[in-house]
Amino acid sequence: MTPRTRLKTWSDSPFEAVTPLAEVAARGVVIAEENGESQVLYESAEHPGWLVKLYRPGLATEPVQVLDRLIALPAEMPPADLALVDRSLCWPVSRVMDGERAAGVVLAKAPPEFRVEMRMISGASVHRLMDIDQLVQTDLDFYAKRGWATPTPQERLAVARNLAAVGVLLERYDIVYGDWSYANALWARGTGEIFLIDMDSCGLTDRLWVESKFWNDPAVPSGSRLSVHTDRYKLAVLVLRCLTGLRGPEPAAAHAALPADVRGGPLGEILWTAVTTGDPSRRPPMSELHALLASTPGFEPAQPAQPATAAAPSLDTRPPSVISVAASLGPAPYGSSSPSSLGRASVPENPHPSTGEPARARPSARPDQGRAGIDAEHAPAGSLLPLVIALFVAALALLAVAGLATSLFS
Amino acid sequence: MNMMNSSPAPHAQGLPTYLVVDVSKSMRPYEALLNRTLEDIINTLYSSPRISEFIHLSILTFSNRPHLVLAMTEIAELTRLPTVECRGSTYFAPLFESLRDRIEFDLPRLLARNVRPLRPVVFLLTDGAPADPEERWASAFDALTSREWRPHPHVITYGFGEAVESVLKRMATAAAFIADPHAGTDTQAITAALGTMLNSLVATARAEALQVPERVKGFRSIPLDHVEF
């Protein structure tokens, strides 16, 4: 039997630079609908192995000339760069036209090595893509429950190195990716090979802002056009998270989780500069990051550390332990875009939900367990009383600090 | 006693999310579909840490009484999938009262886990008119959504079958949708509604802010007199 040849994501494209929608309208498997920028993403029934992404009408995008330039660019690349594109990038290969309207794009389907069997809650296994979201974990149980081996330090390093290699290529051609995140890169178990998706929304020199709160460059105003400098920040954050498995809003915490010799060495320094400098132009080029990753032997990540102390440089100079607590108790409104909280930690004496019969006064019955096997909150109220009291006392103490305690008793 | 240093300040934001499904007897033909779709929603969160770390999901069903099907626990702690059974009538007042109790119970626990909760959101799917008197359920709804109660949730309603447009509108604060009977079957309506809820949750997790669906396939958006969003 002849071994199946892996599809080259750009070089094996059977499409012209522009494809009429009618040629790819027949849908095979629908991958996603109403997902982010796309109205639908499906495998072409006429061209298996190739995906058609149709954009939401009216969505702000880069000018069509940018997409056309991206599509054409690999033809100008030297063999080594083209090989990296074909192996690790879901590069746009054709612009889809619906009459005069640019309707979408054709891209290669992710190669099979980026798929794994995953054990679900029911015990059944599903075949799914392995994205960085699954790599950035420190809970070993997370992998065990899913039937996966825990990622090794060598795997983590390989993923980080391969991500940086892609970053180097993009920077070389002044391509701004912008959307480095948990969801946009796949990785292969064992080899650490990566596959970067959503390449069709790249910009040249700069691109539209993409909102992704745990990845946003703090040195750049929200809504700004993104650049290679913001990509350097985001890739550095991604590398830190891949190396350490540490999630959370603060890259400094992931940096603190690096092994001491790495943290204090040139790799740690370059990563620290990339994620903390207030001057984006000071962020080192990706080639430097890649070179250091390539020369770093395998290591064991340190245990997840507490967030960096105030001594570490930070763009946010507010003392966190007081201000953020006060903010969570203050009158800041809830809303779709602003952080919010309760205003006070309201802890009912009877924490269990009412399950009253219709047309009665509001009862305070025990919770209805329903049919889940996981409802832990229906323990008798007495066993929760110490916790309730502790939470209430804590809330009062915090209110006192914020100067709001009198409002409860006035 | 200095409580300030007893636990670290909250770090990440989270969205307390309540998925509420009518399981009155008229929904019995769709029981298997409901269970499959709820399984899909839970599995999506289970498969995507980036979603489940932001979306803190609780599932309630209701007919004569509300039932807590999935408590707002870590999805990762689930050991088996919840299932629903459909029977009874459609009483909303106990549901709204129960939701208020659940919110009061859940939010402090999120805070204790260092999650800063955003305003909760309720996605409510129903196929019928209320069996309880309007003054009863409207009073309970107003208590749930009163601005005087700080953690009052956003409510998004989806109706199909015998659902009443004016009721869906009255029970919504952010958006309301009613199935277009000419656009598809009730099965398709349920699939579309729950699918849209899931897409909304995914988009919400990405933006870290509630993303209200703009449209639902096979549904018509009901204009609200006042949108608190």
Side-chain angles (χ1 to χ4, degrees):
Chain A
M1 179 182 293
T2 304
R4 192 173 171 182
T5 306
R6 186 195 191 278
L7 182 75
K8 296 177 184 174
T9 64
W10 186 88
S11 297
D12 284 345
S13 167
F15 300 96
E16 300 292 332
V18 178
T19 300
L21 177 59
E23 185 177 322
V24 291
R27 299 182 182 185
V29 174
V30 175
I31 310 294
E33 288 184 276
E34 305 291 344
N35 182 23
E37 64 186 2
S38 69
Q39 189 175 55
V40 64
L41 176 68
Y42 59 90
E43 185 168 5
S44 168
E46 298 294 327
H47 303 277
W50 297 94
L51 304 181
V52 179
K53 180 193 289 185
L54 298 181
Y55 299 130
R56 290 176 188 267
L59 191 74
T61 60
E62 297 298 317
V64 70
Q65 295 84 350
V66 174
L67 179 60
D68 288 347
R69 177 68 185 137
L70 285 171
I71 290 169
L73 191 55
E76 304 168 15
M77 292 180 180
D81 285 353
L82 182 57
L84 182 57
V85 168
D86 280 336
R87 186 173 68 248
S88 299
L89 287 144
C90 187
W91 204 274
V93 301
S94 183
R95 169 164 52 93
V96 176
M97 295 298 292
D98 183 9
E100 297 299 313
R101 183 177 69 91
V105 68
V106 179
L107 310 133
K109 188 176 170 181
E113 60 260 39
F114 297 102
R115 291 182 176 273
V116 294
E117 290 291 323
M118 175 176 168
R119 187 166 62 222
M120 306 303 286
I121 297 169
S122 64
S125 285
V126 298
H127 208 218
R128 59 152 289 152
L129 290 170
M130 194 69 153
D131 55 25
I132 297 294
D133 204 15
Q134 316 291 341
L135 177 63
V136 185
Q137 297 288 335
T138 54
D139 179 7
L140 302 186
D141 229 19
F142 175 89
Y143 298 104
K145 283 182 179 176
R146 288 156 178 77
W148 296 336
T150 303
T152 65
Q154 290 73 24
E155 277 182 299
R156 291 183 178 281
L157 186 59
V159 169
R161 189 171 56 237
N162 289 326
L163 285 168
V166 163
V168 171
L169 182 144
L170 297 177
E171 195 165 290
R172 182 178 304 134
Y173 294 99
D174 203 21
I175 295 171
V176 179
Y177 181 67
D179 204 5
W180 302 95
S181 69
Y182 292 133
N184 284 344
L186 311 176
W187 62 290
R189 295 305 315 250
T191 63
E193 289 288 336
I194 67 104
F195 191 72
L196 197 64
I197 65 173
D198 280 351
M199 286 292 300
D200 54 299
S201 54
C202 288
L204 296 170
T205 305
D206 58 30
R207 61 150 287 173
L208 288 166
W209 173 270
V210 58
E211 179 65 39
S212 190
K213 285 202 173 182
F214 279 9
W215 303 88
N216 287 343
D217 184 349
V220 172
S222 177
S224 306
R225 287 190 68 85
L226 302 174
S227 69
V228 64
H229 299 294
T230 50
D231 267 5
R232 288 174 184 173
Y233 171 85
K234 292 186 180 188
L235 182 60
V237 172
L238 184 57
V239 163
L240 279 170
R241 289 174 176 159
C242 288
L243 290 176
T244 63
L246 203 62
R247 307 175 77 89
E250 297 299 333
H255 187 272
L258 290 170
D261 57 339
V262 173
R263 190 167 66 245
L267 177 59
E269 288 177 14
I270 203 173
L271 287 168
W272 183 255
T273 300
V275 302
T276 61
T277 179
D279 180 2
S281 67
R282 287 192 56 229
R283 293 179 184 140
M286 294 191 194
S287 55
E288 289 185 24
L289 175 60
H290 177 256
L292 287 169
L293 286 165
S295 62
T296 298
F299 62 84
E300 287 288 339
Q303 290 300 312
Q306 292 300 314
T309 64
S314 168
L315 293 176
D316 184 350
T317 58
R318 301 173 301 171
S321 62
V322 173
I323 298 300
S324 61
V325 168
S328 66
L329 294 175
Y334 288 101
S336 63
S337 59
S338 59
S340 62
S341 66
L342 282 177
R344 66 182 177 94
S346 170
V347 180
E349 287 188 11
N350 179 359
H352 306 300
S354 66
T355 56
E357 295 298 324
R360 285 189 187 177
R362 184 179 176 189
S364 57
R366 291 181 303 141
D368 188 323
Q369 186 174 351
R371 295 184 184 279
I374 47 77
D375 181 2
E377 275 84 5
H378 66 283
S383 68
L384 289 174
L385 190 55
L387 173 64
V388 169
I389 292 172
L391 286 171
F392 191 60
V393 170
L396 284 180
L398 293 171
L399 283 169
V401 169
L404 297 174
T406 56
S407 65
L408 289 176
F409 304 105
S410 60
Chain B
M1 176 163 63
N2 181 2
M3 299 298 292
M4 278 293 298
N5 297 324
S6 63
S7 64
H11 295 304
Q13 293 180 143
L15 182 66
T17 304
Y18 297 87
L19 178 55
V20 179
V21 181
D22 181 344
V23 292
S24 56
K25 61 178 180 289
S26 57
M27 293 286 280
R28 193 172 295 155
Y30 314 109
E31 191 173 282
L33 174 61
L34 285 177
N35 281 312
R36 276 200 309 275
T37 313
L38 291 178
E39 181 176 346
D40 285 346
I41 291 173
I42 293 171
N43 280 341
T44 296
L45 269 66
Y46 184 72
S47 302
S48 303
R50 67 188 179 277
I51 300 174
S52 61
E53 68 186 354
F54 183 75
I55 301 295
H56 298 271
L57 181 67
S58 181
I59 300 176
L60 289 88
T61 59
F62 71 103
S63 52
N64 290 355
R65 299 185 303 164
H67 300 261
L68 178 65
V69 171
L70 176 69
M72 192 170 290
T73 184
E74 296 278 1
I75 292 287
E77 296 167 19
L78 280 176
T79 56
R80 67 180 176 89
L81 290 167
T83 57
V84 303
E85 283 188 9
C86 299
R87 58 186 169 206
S89 299
T90 313
Y91 287 88
F92 283 93
L95 166 68
F96 295 143
E97 291 162 358
S98 182
L99 277 169
R100 184 170 165 134
D101 285 346
R102 289 311 305 175
I103 290 171
E104 290 209 346
F105 180 77
D106 289 331
L107 266 59
R109 278 156 179 74
L110 288 179
L111 280 171
R113 282 167 31 201
N114 297 324
V115 175
R116 286 167 54 204
L118 293 173
R119 184 177 300 288
V121 62
V122 175
F123 292 91
L124 191 156
L125 176 69
T126 181
D127 78 330
D132 42 357
E134 179 170 351
E135 60 267 23
R136 175 95 171 89
W137 63 257
S139 172
F141 179 77
D142 289 343
L144 172 68
T145 56
S146 168
R147 290 186 174 226
E148 301 300 313
W149 184 51
R150 192 166 176 77
H152 64 273
H154 297 299
V155 182
I156 301 169
T157 57
Y158 301 78
F160 68 99
E162 302 301 316
V164 178
E165 179 168 336
S166 61
V167 171
L168 294 171
K169 180 175 178 175
R170 178 68 172 85
M171 290 180 182
T173 65
F177 302 94
I178 189 162
D180 180 353
H182 304 295
T185 64
D186 285 348
T187 297
Q188 290 169 326
I190 293 172
T191 303
L194 291 175
T196 303
M197 287 180 204
L198 179 56
N199 288 343
S200 176
L201 295 181
V202 171
T204 292
R206 182 184 173 88
E208 290 226 341
L210 177 61
Q211 303 298 298
V212 177
E214 291 179 355
R215 60 180 182 274
V216 183
K217 188 176 179 180
F219 283 70
R220 175 171 54 82
S221 177
I222 303 171
L224 301 184
D225 294 332
H226 170 70
V227 176
E228 184 194 297
F229 182 70

